[in-house]
Amino acid sequence: MPVVIVVGAQWGDEGKGKVVDYLTKKAEIVARFQGGHNAGHTVVIKDKKYVLHLIPSGILHKGTTCIIGNGVVVEPSALIGEIEGLRAKGIPVKKNLLVSKNAHLIMPYHIALDKACETSKGKKSIGTTGRGIGPTYVDKMARSGIRVGDLLTPELFMEKLQANVRHVNVLLKNLYNQKGFSAKKIFDEYAGYTRKLSVHIADTDLIINRAIAAGKNVLLEGAQGTLLDIDHGTYPFVTSSSAVAGGACTGLGIGPTKISKVLGIVKAYTTRVGSGPFPTELHDATGELIREKGGEFGATTGRPRRCGWLDTVILKHAAMINGLSGMVITKLDILDGFSTIKICTGYRYRGKLLTEMPKELGIFENCIPVYEEMAGWQGSTAGISSFSKLPKEARAYIKRIEELVGVRADIISTGQKRDELITLREHF
Ligand code: GDP
Ligand code: IMO
Ligand code: MG
C-alpha cells in the first residue's frame, strides 16, 4: 500500500538502481519522475550487470509495471536502444513499460545545443553528459517543447517541429557558428521511433493514481541527486530537473498526501562527476584508492568520478529538503581496510565554522571541511546481511552518520548484488 520515493542524497550515483531493484521485489509499480538518459543506474543480478538509463530499475522483475513519468525527458532512440538491449538479454519489455504522453522529447537540436553551449563555456563548463537534458527542459519551461503524446498526431508534431527548428537554426548559426537542422529529416526519423514506441505511450497519471487507490505498492525512482537538483543543488553546477522528493509529485502527477516514505540513498563516502564545488574531495592517494576500490567511473559516460569522504553537512541539507524518513547507506564494503575514516561535520570559511550548507556558490567552493576521525575496520563487510555481523567500527560508523544527519539507516548495502544488504526496516 505505501508509496515510497527513492532519491539520491548526494551528487548522484549513490546506488539508487541497486536499491530500487531490491525494493521492487514487493512493488507493483516502479516509476521514474525526472531526468533522462543522463542517468546510469546499475543493477547486478548474479553475474549479470544491467545499466538502466531511462527505464526504471524495476524492469528486471516480472509482473512489475514500469512508468516513465511526465517529468522525464525522453530521447526516443536511446529509449528504443535500451528496450532492445534488455530484450536481447531475455528481459520482456512490452506493455510492462509505459511512457507518459506529457513527457518531453529530447530532439537532435537539444543535443547539439547542449554540446555547443558547453564548448562555448570553456573552463566554466558544467561537464554535462551531453545528452541534451538542459535545452530540453528549457523548451519545456518556455512552453515550446514537443511531448511524447505529440508523436501520435503527426501534423501537430510537424507544426511544432518546424517552429522550433526555425528558432534553433538561427541560434546554432549565429551564436555557435554551426549547421542547422532539417525539420523534414527529423520528422522522418521520429516517425520511425513512433512506430516502435506507440504501444508504450499512455496516460500514466491515471494509471499510477488508480494503482495507489487500489492499495498497490508503488515505488518512485529518482535520478541524479539532491545536490544536482535545479533548485536545491549546487547551482549552476546541477542538472536541469527536480531531483528531490518534491519532484516525484509533479513529475508523475501524484498528490503529496499520497506519499508514505522518502528514502535517501547515501553512499558511505562522496562522489561527483562533472564540475562544481565538492568540499570533501580528495586529490591524493586515498581518493585514488576509493575510486579504484569503488569502481567509481561513470555508468553513462565512463568518466572517472571525483571521490572524497562522507559529508554530513550536505546530507543534513538533503534530509531537510527531501523530508527523508530513512537512509540507505551503500558501498560500506568499499571502506573495508582503511585504518581511519573521516566524516565531515562542518566547514571552515574565512575562520568561521559553518554547520549548514551555504547557498552562495562563492562561499561553498571555498569551504574547508572540518573532520571527525573514526577508527576503520580491517575485516571484510562484503555481502554481510546482518547488522550484528558487521565489525564494531563499521557499526559505529553507521550510528555516527545517523546521529549527525538525524535520520535512521533503514538499509545498509554491502555489495553490488541484489541481496548483498542488511535490511533494518521493511518498506512495503
Ligand atoms: P545510481 O546512479 O545511483 O543507480 O548508481 P550507479 O549505478 O551509477 O553507481 C553505483 C555503483 O555502485 C554501481 O556500479 C553499483 O553496482 C555499485 N553498488 C551499489 N551498491 C553497492 C554496494 O553496496 N557495494 C558495492 N561494492 N557496490 C555497490
Ligand atoms: P544518476 O541518476 C551523477 C551530472 C553531470 C553534470 C551535471 C549536469 O546515475 O545518479 P546533465 O547532462 O544532466 O545536464 O549534466 O549533472 N549528472 C550526473 N552525475 N549521476 C547522474 O545520474 C547524473 N546525471 C547528470 O555529470 O555534472
Ligand atoms: Mg549513476
Side-chain angles (χ1 to χ4, degrees), residues 12-18 39-44 49 57 221 224 265 267 293-296 298-299 305 329-334 412-416 420:
D13 302 327
E14 298 91 348
K16 298 175 293 292
K18 177 194 161 155
H41 297 178
T42 315
V43 178
V44 179
K49 179 170 154 177
S57 306
E221 176 180 7
Q224 289 80 51
I265 315 303
K267 201 182 284 192
K293 286 184 73 179
E296 296 297 352
R305 294 174 182 154
I329 299 178
T330 63
K331 303 192 96 161
L332 186 70
D333 54 301
I334 303 305
I412 297 152
S413 174
T414 55
Q416 278 196 301
E420 291 181 325

Side-chain angles (χ1 to χ4, degrees), residues 1-7 23 33 217-221 245-246 248-249 256-264 322-327 408 410-411 424-428:
M1 193 156 164
V3 179
V4 178
I5 302 179
V6 165
V7 286
L23 293 174
F33 54 85
N217 290 340
V218 175
L219 186 57
L220 313 181
E221 176 180 7
C249 293
T257 52
K258 302 284 190 281
I259 306 298
S260 324
K261 289 176 193 167
V262 183
L263 270 183
N322 294 296
L324 295 186
S325 52
M327 293 186 287
R408 65 193 191 192
D410 285 356
I411 298 174
L424 299 170
R425 255 166 230 99
E426 294 287 346
H427 294 86
F428 290 114

Side-chain angles (χ1 to χ4, degrees), residues 18-277:
K18 177 194 161 155
V19 175
V20 168
D21 168 68
Y22 168 73
L23 293 174
T24 301
K25 241 188 333 198
K26 292 191 185 160
E28 281 132 308
I29 293 200
V30 183
R32 272 275 306 270
F33 54 85
Q34 45 69 237
H37 65 315
N38 49 348
H41 297 178
T42 315
V43 178
V44 179
I45 302 167
K46 298 198 174 107
D47 55 355
K48 278 203 182 138
K49 179 170 154 177
Y50 305 85
V51 182
L52 285 322
H53 298 283
L54 260 171
I55 298 180
S57 306
I59 196 77
L60 305 173
H61 289 258
K62 272 202 190 108
T64 307
T65 299
C66 287
I67 290 178
I68 296 177
N70 57 274
V72 177
V73 287
V74 178
E75 206 283 283
S77 73
L79 178 57
I80 291 164
E82 211 171 315
I83 292 172
E84 287 173 353
L86 285 170
R87 284 182 186 151
K89 289 186 174 176
I91 310 291
V93 186
K94 294 179 193 143
K95 281 288 223 182
N96 55 335
L97 177 69
L98 301 172
V99 186
S100 166
K101 285 180 187 163
N102 287 3
H104 279 249
L105 286 168
I106 298 182
M107 308 298 290
Y109 47 81
H110 291 133
I111 298 168
L113 281 173
D114 187 1
K115 291 179 179 163
C117 180
E118 281 284 275
T119 307
S120 76
K121 283 190 174 135
K123 275 196 197 141
K124 291 194 169 157
S125 73
I126 291 164
T128 71
T129 59
R131 302 292 195 266
I133 306 294
T136 307
Y137 281 111
V138 166
D139 278 1
K140 171 176 174 172
M141 290 306 176
R143 294 158 293 181
S144 54
I146 307 180
R147 308 203 286 189
V148 168
D150 295 332
L151 290 170
L152 304 175
T153 32
E155 313 74 50
L156 183 67
F157 179 85
M158 187 52 154
E159 195 183 305
K160 289 186 174 185
L161 178 61
Q162 278 170 335
N164 283 343
V165 164
R166 257 197 312 274
H167 175 82
V168 122
N169 283 353
V170 174
L171 266 183
L172 283 171
K173 201 167 147 217
N174 296 299
L175 202 56
Y176 300 116
N177 199 20
Q178 288 199 6
K179 273 198 354 212
F181 284 85
S182 142
K184 168 81 174 73
K185 256 194 177 156
I186 298 177
F187 181 84
D188 291 344
E189 183 189 335
Y190 276 57
Y193 302 149
T194 308
R195 279 192 287 280
K196 291 190 171 172
L197 290 178
S198 55
V199 45
H200 301 285
I201 300 173
D203 289 328
T204 55
D205 53 348
L206 289 176
I207 292 165
I208 205 161
N209 280 289
R210 282 177 187 152
I212 294 170
K216 297 198 169 152
N217 290 340
V218 175
L219 186 57
L220 313 181
E221 176 180 7
Q224 289 80 51
T226 305
L227 277 296
L228 286 173
D229 177 83
I230 186 74
D231 288 288
H232 303 286
T234 46
Y235 192 88
F237 298 102
V238 292
T239 191
S240 301
S241 65
S242 295
V244 296
C249 293
T250 55
L252 286 160
I254 301 174
T257 52
K258 302 284 190 281
I259 306 298
S260 324
K261 289 176 193 167
V262 183
L263 270 183
I265 315 303
V266 174
K267 201 182 284 192
Y269 45 93
T270 313
T271 63
R272 170 162 210 173
V273 208
S275 325

